[in-house]
Each structure stands twice: as C-alpha cells, then as structure tokens.
Amino acid sequence: MGGGTLSELEEFVARTRNPRWMNVALLLVIAAAMFATIFLAYKTIEAERAQREQVERTVQVLEELRQINRAALSGETGQRGYLITLDRRYLAPYQMAREQLEPSLDRVRSLLGEDATPRQVELIDQIDALARAKFDEMADSVELLENGRLLDARRATLTDEGVEAMERLGRAIAEMEDIESEILADRAAEAARSEARVLPLLGALLVLLIIAMLAGARLVGRAARAEAEAAQAAAVSEARDRADLLARELNHRVKNLFAVILAIVQMSARDKPEAKEVTDSIAQRIRALLTAHEVSQGELERPVASLRALVETSLAPYRSSKHPAEIEGPDVMLPAKRVTPLGLVLHELTTNAVKYGAWKNRGTVHVSWTEDEGMLTLTWRESGADLEELPERKGFGSLLMTSAARQFGGTFERNFTKDGLQVSIVLPVTD
C-alpha cells in the first residue's frame, strides 16, 4: 500500500511540475469566447446606433414628404379659392405653399445624401418635377386671373393636366415613404440579429466558466486525496502546495479575464453615450458572473458560506423581469467543501432553465429549502416551461449534477413535467 501511494504521489508531483497545457488551452478558449462576446457586443451597439440614426432620418424624410404633399394641396386650395371668389386673400396659402416647396425638396435631398438608393434618387427627381409642374400650372391660372381672363383661367383649371399631376405626385410620395419604411425595417432586423448572436455566446461562455471551475475543483480534490493517503509524507505536503498553487492561479486568471472584458465593455461605451444603456446591461451581467464564480470557487478559503447568497448569486446572471425567480428559505450556513459542488449544480440548473426550461418561455423559477435534524432539503421547481416533449436521456449536465451530488454527500432527484423541471436535493448541513 505504501509503495502504491508513493508511486501515485511521485506521478502527481511530476505532473504538477510540468505546464498544464490542458488548463492553458481551456483558458485560451475562455479568453477567445470573451473577446468574441466583446466583438459581438460592439457590433450590437453599432447596429442599434445605426437603427436609431435611421429612425431619426426616416421620420424627418417622411415629415418633409408630407410637407411637400401638404404644400401642393394647400397651393391648389388657395388657387381654386381665388378662381372661384376672386378674393386675393385666398392667394396667401398659395404663396406660402410655393415658398415652402423649395426648402422641403432641398431638405429631402440632404437627408437622403449619398446613401440614397437609385430608385430614391429617381423618385425625388420625379417629385421635384411634378411639384414644380403643378405650381407652374397654378401660376398660369393665377396670371390669367390677374389679366382679367377669367374664362381662360377656369378652362385651364378644368383640364385633367392638374389632376393627373397631383395623382402622380401622390403616388411618387407614397412609394418614397414605402422605401424609407423598408430601409428602417431592415435596420431593425439587423440590430435584432446582432443582439441574438450575443446571447448564445454568453451562454457558451458560462459553460466554459463552469468547466474552468470544475477543473479547479478537480485540482483541489486531487490535493486533498494526496493528503489523506500520505498525511505523514513530505511529498504529500509538496503536492498539496503545488495543487493549491495551480488552483489559485487558475482562479486568479479567470478573475483577471473577467476584469479585462469588463474594462473593454466600459471603454467601448466611453465615447458613445448613446450605447451606455446596452453596455451597462452587459457589464451588470459580467459582474454577476464574476460574483457567482467568486462564491462557488473562492468560498473554499472560508469555513462556512451562506446558502441564500449562493442561490441568489447563481441566478443573478440571468434573473430579470423576463426571467423571474422566487427564493424562500431560512438562513443556513454550509461547510465550504459543499459550496463548490452545490454551486455547480445550481449553475447547471440555471443554464438549463434559460436554454430549455421555464426562462426560455418567460416562466418562473422557484427555489426553496428547509432544514430538519441536520439535513437540508432544497427544492428547485420551474413553472410555465410548457415542455412539448419530456427528455428521455441524460446528457452531460445530468452526469455533472449527479457527480456533484456525490461530492457534497447528498442525493439528487430530478423529474420533468409539462409545466417544467422539478429537482429535490438532500444533503447534510454539518461536516
């Protein structure tokens, strides 16, 4: 037995002396995922900014087009009023409309700018020509009236030329409005697609962080086993120190990556105040992930940890008005060695609720616990999931949660209903 223990210790010490390329690779993957998240978040901010600019431009273009249409109608109304009554007061709306036409056309061209499509350029030229032709026709009739040729003015007004010009002007303006609405809809769809790409990557990042925490827990467990097998040997102390150093280094690097990505998000919004709301939301979720990591990974340095703090921190990255959660239970302090595996279980349940369960369909997560004679019973219940098919096989997440239940010395039972997942966890409160 002694020879076997020393051999295992020597192998363990030899592995800890060499660079842990698997941990390095894992950290590189996590870093790549974080930077990809930052890039997509930046693209989402840019898309939303472009959408807001397009909304402002579309509103202004539509308003100017309506102003052109109103000017033509107002001018025609004043011209016809003067024709019927010969009262020069009716010429005031006509003169005002004529003065408004040129500035409105110039503003439309300025708003469209170089981004105008060929069809928009064609339409604005057509609107310009039709509006000017209409006002020229009205000016001719007004001039005939000014010269005392009432019959000629009325004869010119009764022709179909003016009616046709107004109809063509109305159709051109309507088509221009439709094009602007389509451009606005395309920008909104692009912003929605950019936002949709960020959320799956955040989920993948959370999975990678859980794997990193699991790797850290594995290193800590490896050191604990070495200490139990050869408590009196000097090699055990050295192996434990090295394992602790690796675990602390892994934990330190993960928290450094959190700090880097949080700083990049905040710096990205420094010169873009319009993006502050989006970046603040992303920063809050990153801080919640960091806090969850510190609770489930860093609590090993403390003798006990709060169960309520562990539950709230595990739910915090996704908990919101769209993802409600109800938490109920007495104040319970757990031994530190049970915090990490229980934290992994809660993180896995939270992730599954977002991807497949209640939070996918805006349902509610209920977490409650009771303590009786040194045993803690924690219940995770989802409502509103509206599952169409109940899962029949156990995936990696199920194996992870079952393994974690063995680590904290308790039991783990899971049942699926149409309304959502129900989980019951029983574990001892004291060592």
Side-chain angles (χ1 to χ4, degrees):
M1 177 177 178
T5 302
L6 290 176
S7 177
E8 292 175 1
L9 284 174
E10 290 173 357
E11 180 182 357
F12 176 79
V13 172
R15 286 200 303 269
T16 57
R17 286 199 181 104
N18 297 325
R20 302 195 61 83
W21 62 269
M22 292 184 64
N23 289 335
V24 173
L26 179 60
L27 288 173
L28 289 176
V29 171
I30 294 174
M34 286 183 172
F35 282 109
T37 303
I38 287 296
F39 176 75
L40 288 180
Y42 173 77
K43 297 295 290 183
T44 301
I45 293 170
E46 287 297 312
E48 292 184 351
R49 181 185 60 80
Q51 180 189 0
R52 285 193 294 271
E53 291 178 352
Q54 182 61 46
V55 168
E56 294 177 1
R57 194 190 76 167
T58 298
V59 169
Q60 294 178 19
V61 170
L62 294 179
E63 179 59 29
E64 295 300 333
L65 290 174
R66 295 189 184 102
Q67 182 63 32
I68 294 172
N69 193 38
R70 286 195 296 267
L73 292 175
S74 179
E76 186 178 50
T77 301
Q79 176 249 0
R80 292 183 182 274
Y82 180 51
L83 178 65
I84 295 172
T85 64
L86 298 179
D87 188 346
R88 296 190 60 85
R89 288 178 298 177
Y90 282 94
L91 289 179
Y94 161 77
Q95 295 293 347
M96 184 180 299
R98 185 157 192 164
E99 293 173 358
Q100 292 173 348
L101 178 63
E102 188 72 27
S104 294
L105 289 170
D106 292 340
R107 282 193 292 270
V108 171
R109 292 184 188 276
S110 175
L111 289 169
L112 294 178
E114 297 180 356
D115 296 332
T117 64
R119 181 55 181 165
Q120 284 181 308
V121 173
E122 181 181 346
L123 283 173
I124 191 59
D125 290 339
Q126 184 178 347
I127 291 171
D128 190 338
L130 289 172
R132 293 181 188 279
K134 179 60 181 176
F135 273 94
D136 288 343
E137 179 262 332
M138 289 188 290
D140 291 341
S141 65
V142 170
E143 185 178 356
L144 290 173
L145 288 173
E146 293 288 344
N147 295 330
R149 299 167 61 184
L150 177 60
L151 293 179
D152 291 339
R154 290 182 177 177
R155 189 179 299 110
T157 304
L158 293 176
T159 62
D160 294 335
E161 181 179 352
V163 175
E164 183 180 354
M166 284 296 294
E167 291 178 351
R168 292 176 60 192
L169 178 62
R171 288 194 297 269
I173 291 175
E175 185 176 352
M176 179 72 82
E177 292 176 346
D178 291 340
I179 292 175
E180 281 295 315
S181 298
E182 290 175 1
I183 294 175
L184 179 59
D186 291 341
R187 289 292 174 86
E190 182 180 352
R193 286 193 298 269
S194 298
E195 183 177 353
R197 286 193 294 266
V198 173
L199 296 180
L201 191 56
L202 286 175
L205 180 61
L206 179 60
V207 172
L208 290 174
L209 291 175
I210 292 175
I211 294 175
M213 288 187 287
L214 184 60
R218 183 182 178 187
L219 291 175
V220 174
R222 190 175 292 173
R225 287 195 301 271
E227 182 181 2
E229 291 173 356
Q232 304 302 321
V236 172
S237 177
E238 182 181 355
R240 183 178 65 250
D241 292 341
R242 290 182 178 276
D244 288 342
L245 179 61
L246 288 173
R248 292 175 186 277
E249 179 65 15
L250 179 63
N251 189 26
H252 177 68
R253 291 184 182 182
V254 170
K255 289 197 285 187
N256 282 347
L257 287 174
F258 269 119
V260 169
I261 191 172
L262 185 59
I264 293 175
V265 169
Q266 293 173 338
M267 290 174 61
S268 299
R270 183 173 298 171
D271 298 327
K272 296 182 175 64
E274 69 275 9
K276 187 175 186 303
E277 182 177 354
V278 177
T279 54
D280 286 349
S281 176
I282 296 174
Q284 289 175 3
R285 290 189 177 273
I286 294 174
R287 291 192 186 96
L289 288 174
L290 175 59
T291 305
H293 170 74
E294 290 176 342
V295 169
S296 59
Q297 188 70 17
E299 290 290 345
L300 290 175
E301 301 176 358
R302 304 177 186 177
V304 292
S306 168
L307 174 59
R308 178 177 294 275
L310 179 61
V311 172
E312 291 179 346
T313 307
S314 300
L315 296 174
Y318 295 100
R319 188 179 183 185
S320 64
S321 59
K322 295 181 180 179
H323 296 158
E326 297 179 358
I327 302 174
E328 181 180 5
D331 292 334
V332 176
M333 303 301 291
L334 294 177
K337 68 180 183 180
R338 294 193 174 92
V339 172
T340 295
L342 183 57
L344 293 176
V345 172
L346 292 173
H347 276 295
E348 184 66 22
L349 292 173
T350 303
T351 303
N352 289 341
V354 174
K355 295 171 62 178
Y356 312 111
W359 280 352
K360 180 181 179 182
N361 296 317
R362 296 197 175 187
T364 304
V365 171
H366 310 266
V367 184
S368 60
W369 60 88
T370 58
E371 181 183 0
D372 185 23
E373 297 181 356
M375 297 299 293
L376 177 71
T377 301
L378 187 146
T379 302
W380 175 287
R381 182 174 60 84
E382 299 179 18
S383 61
D386 194 20
L387 299 178
E388 298 179 1
E389 296 181 3
L390 300 183
E392 298 180 356
R393 68 180 184 87
K394 293 185 177 181
F396 172 77
S398 300
L399 297 177
L400 173 65
M401 289 187 284
T402 302
S403 174
R406 289 197 296 268
Q407 291 183 42
F408 58 63
T411 61
F412 175 86
E413 295 183 3
R414 184 181 66 169
N415 295 305
F416 285 95
T417 66
K418 291 293 185 180
D419 199 38
L421 174 65
Q422 294 185 2
V423 174
S424 178
I425 300 174
V426 179
L427 69 156
V429 175
T430 59
D431 288 335

